[in-house]
Amino acid sequence: RENQEFSSEDIPEDDNATFKLLGQGKSVCVFQFESSGMQGILKQVKPDSIEDLIALNALYRPGPMQYIPQFVESKNGCKAIIYPDPSLIDVLRPTYGVIVYQEQVMEVARIVGGFSLGKADILRRAMGKKKVKEMDRMKIEFIEGAVKKGYSQTKASDIFEMLVPFAGYGFNKSHAAAYSVIAYKTAYLKANYPAEFMAANLTNEINNPDKMTLYISETKSMGLNILPPNINLSYKNFAVADGDIIYGLAGVKNVGATAVEEIIKTREANGKYTSFIDFLEKVDLKSVNRKVFESLINSGAFDSFDENRATLLHNLERILDFVTKQKEQTMFGQTSLFDNNDESALPAINIETMEEFPVLEMLNNEKELLCYYFSGHPMDEYRQVWQKSVTLNLNRTDNAMPDRKYTIMGTITSARVINTKRGKQMAFLQIEDFEGSIELIIFPKIWEEKSIYLSVDAIVGFSGKIDTSRGDPKFLVDEVLRPEEMKESERSEVHIKMGNSYNEDDLISLRSFIIDNQGNSSVYLHISSLDAKRDTVIKVSGQITMGASENIIKEIETYPNIEEVWVS
């Protein structure tokens, strides 16, 4: 809308999908709500209105963040809403009794102290800038005005002192509302038009490899299919066809805008390309150069034709030479002058068929050019070993418990070796599995013994512990294992993460289900906490164990206030 107005009437009556998505913390790509911290807050708040989004936008900043627990507990009915005075209920009801906005500070000053809005704004600015003398003077005026309106002097003084910190933290609601309108709209698109929304976001980050990797991973986690580049289907940007997202040509490394424009313009003018040679014959070779051809071949853009990637690259020079000479003859009219002279015809091109590249080489090329593996995964050969042996999924390292030993497995994507103060070498490796990645810290003794197995692209298993003392989780390695040395783990623990709005009835219902589905797995409850950096983990009585089949896990996920369930 041109006037940027927005109200609850702008939200479709049946738009449960948007708030359900936000309440699950699935807010990657959602404006202002994308950070991991905000995802956690969304899971706890379970927003169900635009007012909730506006409040979270204002609260999730240094200072007011300390009031989020009160906001969450009051919103979810875990704690009674407390208003400073009944006269302020209408002002504070949208934020469950918490003063969030500068406008609320001004309204309290007007209702209780009898201030005009102009004077209330002066008070807000004085509080925000901690102008002590001015605040002292205005406090006297506030109390006098409140007493005239029937408030006691003590009540008036208490309310004034209550305003002081909030005025310093308070955010402008109109600003937060503008942000939240965009946030709601992006969340709506993600919930209701997921393929189109993610295609647009991938296009937006087409020149940002880190964001591309994150967004591709998010797209896959949403159950959406991303097709690799295709010379006859891909456009400049990411596009959607039959519910699938097609990789955009502009997202292929080394393929510039001029080349992309030429490829698409020629295809639209002359029809789809029927072969690699047909492609070279049709496009302008001044706009699309050899580097572009190599990148498109290695990205899989010509996989729909007969020749494999190794064959195309091996014959690229002779094919280019053949097509160039053919175009020169056509340009100078030689074929039309000597149509009946066999000597004018170019000799037929001989394509030498090659065996396709090793899978790992193809995958590495794809990752380099597209930020993603399309033909498979380097660990496909060891998928069963990974499934049976690892005890920590690299996509869930935040849930790892301190001081517990885990087994992981992955392909090494980078390695950095340094010298310690004692002249020994240690290493920092980055590995990734099918679900995520993590940095490993390998100390000198292990590095000295096992470095022969730890080159980039190697697939290796590790045992050790998670360290969160330096910010992002790191894995401290105490043993290096080759895939054939890894033993099948006993998956004997079921972890259940509870939302903070659970109640006694929820726990009783969950306990009954666990007892009805007895097995050999211990049960751990993870309780969300806004005040702590990590969840509180409680091991259920050893007498209560349960089965860990896929069906049981899926059924637990349907219970009220269950955020996540996993087996380790």
Side-chain angles (χ1 to χ4, degrees), residues 85 91 287 384:
D85 189 82
V91 176
S287 300
Q384 287 190 340

Side-chain angles (χ1 to χ4, degrees), residues 43 80 94 158 188 202 328 366 450 492 507 539-540 565 568:
K43 289 180 183 179
D158 289 345
Y188 178 87
L202 287 165
E328 287 175 352
E366 290 174 3
K450 301 292 185 178
S492 58
L507 292 176
K539 183 178 181 181
V540 176
V565 184
S568 65

Side-chain angles (χ1 to χ4, degrees), residues 538-557:
I538 302 170
K539 183 178 181 181
V540 176
S541 169
Q543 297 177 348
I544 301 177
T545 57
M546 65 178 293
S549 69
E550 185 176 349
N551 289 338
I552 291 176
I553 299 305
K554 285 184 176 179
E555 189 163 352
I556 292 179
E557 290 174 340

Side-chain angles (χ1 to χ4, degrees), residues 167-204:
Y169 297 143
F171 199 68
N172 187 299
K173 184 178 182 180
S174 59
H175 195 168
Y179 277 1
S180 297
V181 168
I182 300 174
Y184 168 76
K185 289 179 177 179
T186 54
Y188 178 87
L189 292 173
K190 184 175 184 180
N192 294 280
Y193 303 93
E196 291 80 1
F197 178 76
M198 293 310 299
N201 277 281
L202 287 165
T203 296
N204 194 49

Side-chain angles (χ1 to χ4, degrees), residues 278-307:
D278 179 60
F279 169 76
L280 295 182
E281 288 176 339
K282 288 178 177 177
V283 299
D284 181 1
L285 298 181
K286 293 180 181 178
S287 300
V288 189
N289 59 34
R290 182 190 179 98
K291 188 68 174 177
V292 172
F293 300 141
E294 291 174 348
S295 295
L296 288 173
I297 291 170
N298 279 321
S299 71
F302 299 105
D303 283 0
S304 58
F305 300 146
D306 293 335
E307 296 84 5

